[in-house]
Structures are given as C-alpha cells and as structure tokens.
Amino acid sequence: MKETMIEVKNVNKSFGNLHVLKDCSIEVAKSEVVVLIGASGSGKSTLLRCLNFLEIIDGGTITISGKKIDPKKENVNHIREQVGMVFQHFNLFPHMTVLENIIEAPIHVKKVNKKQAIEHARQLLIKVGLLDKENAYPDQLSGGQKQRVAIARALAMKPDIMLFDEPTSALDPELVGEVLSVMKDLAMEGMTMVVVTHEMGFAREMADRVVVMHNGNIIEEGPPDQIFQQPSHERTQRFLSKVL
Ligand code: ADP
Ligand code: MG
C-alpha cells in the first residue's frame, strides 16, 4: 500500500443555509493524480479550498500526511507549506517581477535565505520554461506564462501536494497545452495532485482516479476509463455528455 497523503472523512461545509459539501470522503495516495469533475456549483472549489484550509470545515476530518489537522490548534501557514495551490486566475502579485513573486513566500514564510531562494526559483523557471522572464512583470506575460509562473511560485515552497483549481479555464485555447504540459511533467515526477479541470484529455491521460461531484456529494469515483466509458451514475453521464 502506498502512503496516504490526503484523507478526507465525512467532511461537511455550509455557507449560511447553503450545504455545499455533504459528508464528502476521499483518499489520495502518494504520487496519485486525482481529477475532480462535476457541474459548476457542485462544490469542487470549496473542497479544494478546505484541503488548503482557505475554508474551515464544519464537520468531519482532514488528515494530511498522516496528521489530522485541527485548524484551531495548528499553524495553518505551516500546513499550507505542504499543500500548494494554483487558481484559475493566477493571483500573481502585480507589482512584483516573476522572480520576486516566486521568492516571496520562501523568504518571508519559510525564512529561506535570499540567495538560495533565487537559485531555487531559477531552477523552477527552467522547469516551466520561463527563465528568460525572471525580470518581467505579470502584465507583460501571456495567460499561459502567468499560470506557469503561478505553478513555479507554488512549487517554490517545496510542497508534498499540489491542488489545481481549473488552472486552464481562463486561458485562450492555444495556451492551454503549455500549462497542461507543465502539469504532466509534475505528475510524472511523482507529485501528489488533485486537479479540478474540464480538460478530459488530461484526465484520460494523467488521472489515476476521477472523482465526480454533484450537488455537494461525491457520487462516484474510479479509473478514467471506467468513469468515461461506463459511468454508473446518470448525473455523471449527463455531465460528460456536455464536456466530452
Ligand atoms: P464549483 O467549484 O464546483 O463550481 P463551488 O465550490 O465554487 O463549486 O461552489 C459551491 C456552492 O457554494 C455554490 O453554490 C457557490 O455559490 C457556493 N459558495 C462558494 N463559496 C461561497 C462563499 N464564500 N460564500 C457563499 N457561498 C459560496
Ligand atoms: Mg470552482
């Protein structure tokens, strides 16, 4: 058995009267790539945000790398060092260069010395193919380049787990491939990943498991072939007929 990196057990989350996550449970093993799909509003982003403690769950448990997390007791920043997140809208700091964006958290949160942080940032820029852009500002970059910087910035904290929330949804179609290719490299290096995406090609090729959400519930999960070819839930079929 592979080491379990994420264990979500009976997690519930409401916003006011809106019950957004209903008894959700999933496990993610080390180096596993899990793709989370489902209609808009089904709770995918909320689930990812709970995994990164950007939202605090109302009930259930979240265990990261064998450690049950109680955000009331734990230093949440410390957990976030382990769990990197990439958002649809990049969220780069606009007044900082690419390099400054990447070294910010390692220096200020992790207290890495600046020289080392810069050295690591350059390695990451090589990895995402943007070493020549280290002095550019975000508004001088294409959407695909911005997202690759956002990935490098998340990786700069040396996370054990990476969460992606529709990382290519805001991109022009011709820029989607360059971001997916960086994600594929990461997956092949053994990164543990949870990816919300409508890119079913990526799911088919890279996912070890596809998890389907509907209306706050996890309605089914399985290997991509099974989910795409023989979905057991009518809601899954309906969703797939729209995106495939
Ligand atoms: P998805 O990512 O699958 O589209 P979300 O997790 O973003 O779904 O949203 C699930 C539901 O929770 C939606 O009805 C959304 O409007 C609601 N929601 C999400 N975040 C908040 C929030 N901060 N406050 C109130 N409602 C929210
Ligand atoms: Mg979402």
Side-chain angles (χ1 to χ4, degrees):
M1 268 300 279
K2 267 193 170 173
E3 182 187 342
T4 303
M5 293 296 280
I6 305 174
E7 188 191 44
V8 174
K9 238 179 171 167
N10 304 110
V11 158
N12 282 281
K13 173 72 184 169
S14 297
F15 294 111
N17 291 331
L18 192 64
H19 196 177
V20 176
L21 298 179
K22 301 169 183 165
D23 260 334
C24 290
S25 299
I26 47 170
E27 277 187 32
V28 183
K30 192 174 171 59
S31 299
E32 204 180 9
V33 176
V34 170
V35 167
L36 192 55
I37 63 172
S40 178
S42 56
K44 306 180 299 295
S45 295
T46 304
L47 182 56
L48 281 197
R49 292 170 63 81
C50 287
L51 290 178
N52 204 21
F53 303 93
L54 293 169
E55 303 286 356
I56 301 304
I57 58 178
D58 302 326
T61 58
I62 294 178
T63 307
I64 305 283
S65 302
K67 189 162 185 258
K68 196 194 267 188
I69 309 296
D70 181 350
K72 290 187 204 88
K73 295 195 192 122
E74 247 82 40
N75 178 353
V76 183
N77 276 332
H78 188 69
I79 304 155
R80 287 199 194 119
E81 286 174 24
Q82 281 176 273
V83 186
M85 183 144 174
V86 174
F87 302 88
Q88 184 175 355
H89 291 292
F90 328 125
N91 301 3
L92 296 175
F93 306 117
H95 58 290
M96 292 183 187
T97 65
V98 163
L99 194 72
E100 287 164 351
N101 263 280
I102 298 173
I103 65 176
E104 169 72 19
I107 290 176
H108 291 106
V109 181
K110 242 183 167 175
K111 312 295 179 197
V112 175
N113 81 51
K114 190 168 179 182
K115 189 165 165 277
Q116 276 177 345
I118 290 175
E119 210 170 285
H120 186 217
R122 291 200 173 119
Q123 288 167 10
L124 292 170
L125 282 171
I126 291 170
K127 197 185 181 87
V128 302
L130 289 172
L131 188 58
D132 57 329
K133 298 291 185 192
E134 69 169 56
N135 295 315
Y137 284 87
D139 68 4
Q140 297 170 311
L141 303 177
S142 72
Q145 291 171 332
K146 278 188 242 194
Q147 195 59 300
R148 286 187 281 150
V149 173
I151 294 172
R153 184 179 59 173
L155 292 174
M157 295 296 275
K158 303 193 175 161
D160 303 318
I161 297 165
M162 284 283 284
L163 310 175
F164 293 85
D165 194 358
E166 300 201 35
T168 61
S169 295
L171 302 179
D172 292 333
E174 73 272 23
L175 304 178
V176 168
E178 65 193 56
V179 172
L180 292 180
S181 141
V182 168
M183 291 167 62
K184 283 179 197 172
D185 289 347
L186 259 188
M188 277 174 325
E189 287 167 18
M191 179 61 80
T192 305
M193 295 168 48
V194 182
V195 183
V196 175
T197 185
H198 296 299
E199 293 292 331
M200 293 302 127
F202 177 86
R204 222 184 264 277
E205 193 181 342
M206 300 308 297
D208 296 299
R209 210 145 36 91
V210 176
V211 172
V212 188
M213 288 191 74
H214 176 71
N215 209 3
N217 297 294
I218 291 171
I219 56 171
E220 67 178 305
E221 59 178 287
D225 283 354
Q226 180 191 318
I227 298 292
F228 293 137
Q229 281 153 33
Q230 298 162 313
S232 58
H233 205 289
E234 180 265 337
R235 288 284 176 183
T236 308
Q237 291 173 19
R238 212 188 297 180
F239 174 75
L240 289 173
S241 71
K242 285 181 195 140
V243 293
L244 283 179

